[in-house]
Amino acid sequence: MRIENMRTNIYLTEAEQKLANLIWKKETITSPELVVLAEKELGWKKSTTYTILKKLCDKGVFKNENAKVTVLLTSTEQMTRQSRRYVEDAFGGSLPNFITAFVGAGKLSPEKATELRQLIDALDGDD
């Protein structure tokens, strides 16, 4: 089983990820409110917040229009893209190789093995 390539891989820097997390928690926020929040939560200056926000908007993660920041790419969508990119890069897209490495020398508990089988059955598509 190979994971298909994502059409658009978006890499977020550590700073971009921090600001994105603040925005995703709020879903919709004004840019002035974001400046206040980033100063409080991250200790950032106004210029830093606007610079990082512009980068996130340029990447298509958010939209900043009329001082209103809205989500274009959800945190779940971004996490999915990053996870797929990691499996693609580190394991040649092989999900079985990833799971083998993730489990390592250990064994799956019967509960986890059952959960994994149920997930595979649900995603199989042969029904």
Side-chain angles (χ1 to χ4, degrees):
M1 173 187 289
R2 289 184 56 80
I3 296 177
E4 66 187 49
N5 285 327
M6 295 300 296
R7 281 181 265 143
T8 306
N9 286 323
I10 298 174
Y11 173 77
L12 300 184
T13 65
E14 185 177 341
E16 291 168 346
Q17 186 70 52
K18 287 179 180 181
L19 190 62
N21 288 339
L22 290 180
I23 298 168
W24 282 324
K25 285 180 188 175
K26 297 290 183 179
E27 294 202 19
T28 301
I29 188 170
T30 67
S31 48
E33 290 171 333
L34 182 60
V35 167
V36 171
L37 185 61
E39 182 179 6
K40 178 183 171 189
E41 298 287 324
L42 304 172
W44 288 3
K45 295 180 182 177
K46 178 180 178 179
S47 59
T48 302
T49 300
Y50 278 114
T51 298
I52 301 300
L53 177 59
K54 180 173 180 348
K55 290 179 180 184
L56 288 166
C57 291
D58 289 346
K59 290 181 177 186
V61 180
F62 302 106
K63 181 179 178 182
N64 185 15
E65 190 171 70
N66 299 322
K68 183 179 177 184
V69 180
T70 54
V71 174
L72 299 177
L73 183 70
T74 67
S75 61
T76 301
E77 290 168 336
Q78 178 59 14
M79 189 182 313
T80 298
R81 288 171 184 234
Q82 286 177 318
S83 299
R84 286 184 175 189
R85 184 176 63 232
Y86 176 75
V87 171
E88 194 62 45
D89 292 348
F91 300 96
S94 172
L95 192 53
N97 287 350
F98 167 74
I99 292 170
T100 300
F102 185 79
V103 173
K107 298 281 184 184
L108 287 175
S109 69
E111 296 81 16
K112 291 291 181 188
T114 298
E115 185 179 348
L116 190 53
R117 281 187 202 93
Q118 288 172 344
L119 177 62
I120 291 168
D121 289 343
L123 298 173
D124 193 5
D126 284 344
D127 297 328

